[in-house]
Amino acid sequence: MKRWVGRHAPDIALWFGGLSLLAAVVVSAWDGPKLPDEVKACRLLDVAMQEADMAEGWYLEAGKVLGGHCGIKEAPVEAERKACFARRKNDNTIDCE
């Protein structure tokens, strides 16, 4: 077995190298479905609202845009909640549900 692997090791390495190069070309050529810019902007704003630490007013405006233009019905409610927590950072007396 050792003789077979030793003798064919360059062939196997070349084969795997070619296969990985082909996979890289296929993956780089396919960049996914083409989405309209409005959909991309809505997704970006939604991710930013979920992940970023922003000011109270930013959350309220993002909620309006996501709810009105992007059709995410629960976005304004979520924005109000996040805005309350942002406000609470400056004033510990505020109670957010």
Side-chain angles (χ1 to χ4, degrees):
M1 186 67 151
K2 188 176 181 182
R3 272 176 97 192
W4 185 85
V5 171
R7 190 169 9 140
H8 295 288
D11 297 336
I12 293 170
L14 188 61
W15 188 79
F16 278 118
L19 185 62
S20 63
L21 180 63
L22 177 66
V25 168
V26 168
V27 168
S28 65
W30 180 77
D31 60 350
K34 301 294 182 198
L35 297 173
D37 289 340
E38 185 177 325
V39 173
K40 290 178 188 176
C42 287
R43 285 185 179 180
L44 178 64
L45 188 58
D46 188 38
V47 168
M49 192 170 98
Q50 299 302 321
E51 301 295 330
D53 188 17
M54 299 292 192
E56 174 186 358
W58 188 92
Y59 286 117
L60 296 174
E61 288 301 315
K64 288 178 189 175
V65 171
L66 287 170
H69 295 292
C70 298
I72 302 174
K73 292 180 172 99
E74 64 275 358
V77 175
E78 179 69 14
E80 287 283 340
R81 189 181 71 80
K82 289 203 171 251
C84 182
F85 284 114
R87 192 178 328 118
R88 186 168 187 248
K89 285 184 180 179
N90 295 328
D91 184 0
N92 285 346
T93 63
I94 295 174
D95 186 29
C96 300
E97 295 179 16

